[in-house]
Amino acid sequence: MSCAYYKVATVSSDNTKEIKIVLVFENDTIKVSYIFWAKNGAMSFDIYNKLNVPLYFDWKKSAFIPIDKMMSYWQDETNTVGVSTSSAYYLYGGVISGNNKSKSKSIRQERVGALPPHSLISSNKYSLVPAKTSLPIQSFTLSNTPLRFRNFLAVSTSEQFDKDVFYIDNAFFVSSVKKVKKSKLESFVAGNAFYMSIQ
């Protein structure tokens, strides 16, 4: 029965290295660790600042790029969160209604984000595979893979991005897809893999 099986996809990369089944990019300034394990995959990564000064990220210029289509990590929008409160007064066992108050707070994502020295931030915004998309069960090379994607980050030691600007461009591709029994899925959990339902 198809419901008793999943597909497990393995992700490979030419410009990251595998460390304990997690794909890692690292230089003297920064360490980026990727974990894709989720249903339909997730562009999930941790960024660690190795410097003694803050690092800044331009999230508008940074992007998840599946098959050459840019999906920015920043949108020029404001989200409004509403909060409602009510109060009641207790008098000799009875309840007297008080004031009902509602207020809202607008939250705007910052285009430039700061990462303090020797600290870490995480991102998990996009799925790797759109819903109802099927990947064939076989092995692949970079030239025939059904899914390739990149993580592009614009970084600087200056909040104004007027000096010390550099870019990280990590590229990945699905190198194999295999059919796995649902009961065995846990044994395939890895940062460089993800799973999908068999449709």
Side-chain angles (χ1 to χ4, degrees), residues 10-23:
T10 300
V11 177
S12 297
S13 172
D14 291 333
N15 62 354
T16 64
K17 57 185 177 180
E18 187 175 326
I19 301 177
K20 296 182 180 178
I21 64 174
V22 174
L23 295 176

Side-chain angles (χ1 to χ4, degrees), residues 56-62 72-76 108-114 154 159 161:
Y56 298 91
F57 297 85
D58 187 332
W59 294 118
K60 182 178 181 180
K61 294 180 180 177
S62 302
S72 176
Y73 288 123
W74 181 82
Q75 301 296 327
D76 189 10
R108 185 177 183 84
Q109 181 187 0
E110 295 291 334
R111 172 178 168 169
V112 175
E159 187 172 5
F161 275 75

Side-chain angles (χ1 to χ4, degrees), residues 8-163:
V8 173
T10 300
V11 177
S12 297
S13 172
D14 291 333
N15 62 354
T16 64
K17 57 185 177 180
E18 187 175 326
I19 301 177
K20 296 182 180 178
I21 64 174
V22 174
L23 295 176
V24 175
F25 169 85
E26 187 171 13
N27 58 25
D28 293 340
T29 302
I30 201 168
K31 179 179 180 180
V32 187
S33 303
Y34 295 92
I35 300 175
F36 303 117
W37 187 261
K39 186 174 183 181
N40 295 326
M43 173 45 78
S44 177
F45 57 94
D46 296 335
I47 304 172
Y48 182 76
N49 179 2
K50 299 168 73 174
L51 299 180
N52 293 321
V53 296
L55 282 176
Y56 298 91
F57 297 85
D58 187 332
W59 294 118
K60 182 178 181 180
K61 294 180 180 177
S62 302
F64 168 52
I65 309 172
I67 314 179
D68 301 331
K69 179 182 178 183
M70 176 181 175
M71 300 175 72
S72 176
Y73 288 123
W74 181 82
Q75 301 296 327
D76 189 10
E77 60 187 17
T78 301
N79 296 318
T80 302
V81 178
V83 178
S84 178
T85 59
S86 62
S87 60
Y89 303 96
Y90 293 84
L91 182 63
Y92 303 113
V95 179
I96 301 172
S97 295
N99 295 328
N100 289 326
K101 297 180 181 178
S102 63
K103 55 185 177 181
S104 62
K105 181 166 80 170
S106 295
I107 300 173
R108 185 177 183 84
Q109 181 187 0
E110 295 291 334
R111 172 178 168 169
V112 175
L115 180 58
H118 305 289
S119 64
L120 178 146
I121 58 171
S122 299
S123 176
N124 183 356
K125 188 168 184 176
Y126 293 112
S127 293
L128 298 181
V129 181
K132 298 183 180 179
T133 299
S134 181
L135 301 180
I137 298 171
Q138 66 182 74
S139 295
F140 306 98
T141 64
L142 179 58
S143 61
N144 70 356
T145 184
L147 178 63
R148 55 185 169 80
F149 56 95
R150 293 158 50 205
N151 187 37
F152 184 83
L153 301 173
V155 190
S156 177
T157 56
S158 165
E159 187 172 5
Q160 291 73 35
F161 275 75
D162 54 3
K163 62 179 182 178

